Amino acid sequence: MSMRLDKYLSNMGVGTRREVKKLIQYGKVMVNKEVVKTIDYKVAEDKDHVMVYGKTIGYAVNVYMMLNKPAGCITATQDTKDKTVLDLVNHKRKKDLFPIGRLDKDTEGLLILTNDGQLAHRLLSPKKHVPKVYYARIKGCVTLADCKLFLVGVTLDDGYKTMPAKLEILSAGEASEVYITIHEGKFHQVKRMFEAVDKEVVYLKRIQMGGLSLDSNLKLGGYRELREDEVQALETF
């Protein structure tokens, strides 16, 4: 498969189409160790060796990033009112990225950003039942009875009965701490599940999606590209 040289370079974040055209015309670009000044020169992404100012520009078709989403920003690519998760990212392929799924505005934690539509489809498919693990602080005393109810599914305010969910109590009292694992992604699902047992979620953070866990060293608002083994862990679903 081949593409125009200017498109190749702009896709890899070297610059805008206009900027990379100037680089090509000024002789700053080499393909297979030869200077190329033709803008529409065709390069094979998987075979040709492209360099700009002596630096190799390898072609990566897909980008995978982990973001530790803070509260206060929305899961969207753009918005005229609120800060989006992509506003937190400074990356050469930023314009290609989109979030897989969504986290509520006030929810923190693991969010995957990518340009891989096939992976997004697999992870979000209702048929896949990809597990998502959350840490939550709850107003009210979470009990073993709640755990048993969640394990068979609870009925939400609109009459929908959820799939079985695993509820693990970390501490219980007037304020409780739990881990909850769900296999679907209904609107405000975790919050509505606890409302169904007369309790309130006061803090929610996603810590795992599929085989990928949130990097504990990643600060709120921080992000990094996924390692190959982490991408493979996601692709098993």
Side-chain angles (χ1 to χ4, degrees), residues 11 68 89 113 123 162 192 207 224 233:
N11 282 357
N68 188 358
V89 176
L113 304 176
L123 291 178
T162 68
R192 293 165 67 201
I207 58 175
R224 67 167 174 81

Side-chain angles (χ1 to χ4, degrees), residues 65 112 172 177 222 235:
M65 305 193 73
I112 301 166
E177 294 179 275
E235 291 179 338

Side-chain angles (χ1 to χ4, degrees), residues 48-212:
D48 291 329
H49 183 213
V50 181
M51 301 179 74
V52 177
Y53 287 115
K55 179 181 178 181
T56 298
I57 308 296
Y59 194 83
V61 177
N62 292 322
V63 178
Y64 306 93
M65 305 193 73
M66 171 192 301
L67 170 72
N68 188 358
K69 178 192 173 297
C73 64
I74 63 172
T75 306
T77 56
Q78 58 183 359
D79 191 86
T80 57
K81 181 181 178 182
D82 294 306
K83 177 183 287 188
T84 73
V85 291
L86 282 183
D87 290 330
L88 302 172
V89 176
N90 180 19
H91 189 271
K92 60 186 179 182
R93 302 287 297 278
K94 175 178 176 177
K95 62 182 179 64
D96 299 329
L97 301 177
F98 57 85
I100 295 181
R102 66 185 302 276
L103 290 176
D104 298 335
K105 186 176 181 179
D106 60 350
T107 300
E108 298 179 356
L110 176 62
L111 191 66
I112 301 166
L113 304 176
T114 188
N115 61 343
D116 187 343
Q118 292 185 342
L119 176 65
H121 176 74
R122 289 198 301 274
L123 291 178
L124 298 176
S125 172
K127 297 179 181 180
K128 295 293 185 179
H129 306 312
V130 175
K132 293 171 278 289
V133 184
Y134 295 81
Y135 163 78
R137 291 199 288 266
I138 309 299
K139 183 178 180 181
C141 184
V142 179
T143 66
L144 291 178
D146 295 326
C147 295
K148 292 178 181 179
L149 282 173
F150 276 46
L151 200 56
V152 296
V154 298
T155 301
L156 303 182
D157 50 3
D158 60 358
Y160 176 81
K161 185 175 182 179
T162 68
M163 291 180 60
K166 179 182 178 182
L167 183 58
E168 179 183 351
I169 302 173
L170 302 177
S171 66
E174 292 184 7
S176 304
E177 294 179 275
V178 302
Y179 288 140
I180 177 172
T181 303
I182 62 175
H183 298 267
E184 53 193 337
K186 299 298 180 183
F187 182 69
H188 293 323
Q189 181 172 336
V190 173
K191 297 173 183 176
R192 293 165 67 201
M193 289 178 75
F194 279 99
E195 287 173 359
V197 292
D198 298 318
K199 295 174 180 69
E200 179 185 356
V201 175
V202 294
Y203 175 80
L204 189 62
K205 179 177 184 177
R206 184 158 67 191
I207 58 175
Q208 186 176 333
M209 183 174 184
L212 181 66

Side-chain angles (χ1 to χ4, degrees), residues 2-11 15-31 34-44 48 50 52:
S2 62
M3 70 172 64
R4 287 172 53 118
L5 181 57
D6 59 340
K7 182 178 180 181
Y8 177 105
L9 294 175
S10 64
N11 282 357
T16 64
R17 280 288 188 95
R18 185 174 183 179
E19 291 168 340
V20 300
K21 284 178 181 179
K22 290 183 179 179
L23 290 174
I24 296 169
Q25 292 169 340
Y26 294 162
K28 306 301 181 183
V29 180
M30 299 179 71
V31 179
E34 294 186 5
V35 173
V36 174
K37 294 186 177 182
T38 307
I39 294 169
D40 59 358
Y41 183 91
K42 295 294 178 61
V43 293
D48 291 329
V50 181
V52 177

